[in-house]
């Protein structure tokens, strides 16, 4: 599974999965599954996560045509073959 924006933002906020679970009422297992791309969040779940992480919902769960965090990182590091 690829790196997700949910995991990136959570880590940038300095939160553990357990802390995010406590802040949202969503189980740690569910957060792990969302971060690993094994599940897509329901609307209410996505809203809770965005609020707890203080980030725009669209940035946390962008459209599929938007680059993934792994793609952004690869481009930043020059690993995308364009350099």
């Amino acid at each position: 599974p690829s790196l997700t924006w949910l995991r990136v933002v959570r880590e940038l906020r300095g939160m553990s999965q357990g802390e995010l679970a406590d802040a949202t009422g969503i189980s740690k297992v569910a957060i792990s599954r969302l971060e690993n791309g094994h599940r897509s969040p329901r609307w209410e779940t996505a809203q809770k996560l965005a609020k707890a992480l203080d980030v725009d919902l669209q940035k946390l769960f962008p459209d599929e045509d938007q680059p993934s965090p792994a793609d952004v990182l690869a481009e930043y590091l020059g690993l995308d073959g364009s350099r």
Side-chain angles (χ1 to χ4, degrees), residues 35-52:
E35 287 188 355
N36 290 317
H38 296 296
R39 293 183 56 189
S40 295
R42 292 182 175 162
W43 177 251
E44 300 82 21
T45 299
Q47 288 180 310
K48 288 178 185 179
L49 292 165
K51 183 177 180 181

Side-chain angles (χ1 to χ4, degrees), residues 15-31:
M15 295 179 81
S16 68
Q17 287 181 341
E19 290 169 330
L20 184 56
D22 290 343
T24 59
I26 299 165
S27 76
K28 187 177 167 185
V29 171
I31 290 171

Side-chain angles (χ1 to χ4, degrees), residues 3-82:
L3 187 62
T4 62
W5 286 112
L6 175 59
R7 179 177 170 192
V8 169
V9 173
R10 177 184 58 77
E11 290 180 352
L12 286 172
R13 295 287 191 240
M15 295 179 81
S16 68
Q17 287 181 341
E19 290 169 330
L20 184 56
D22 290 343
T24 59
I26 299 165
S27 76
K28 187 177 167 185
V29 171
I31 290 171
S32 177
R33 288 181 180 155
L34 291 168
E35 287 188 355
N36 290 317
H38 296 296
R39 293 183 56 189
S40 295
R42 292 182 175 162
W43 177 251
E44 300 82 21
T45 299
Q47 288 180 310
K48 288 178 185 179
L49 292 165
K51 183 177 180 181
L53 293 168
D54 191 29
V55 67
D56 182 79
L57 185 62
Q58 185 64 29
K59 289 188 167 110
L60 194 58
F61 299 102
D63 296 329
E64 289 191 22
D65 61 338
Q66 300 297 317
S68 72
D71 293 337
V72 171
L73 184 57
E75 182 177 346
Y76 177 77
L77 295 175
L79 303 174
D80 62 349
S82 65

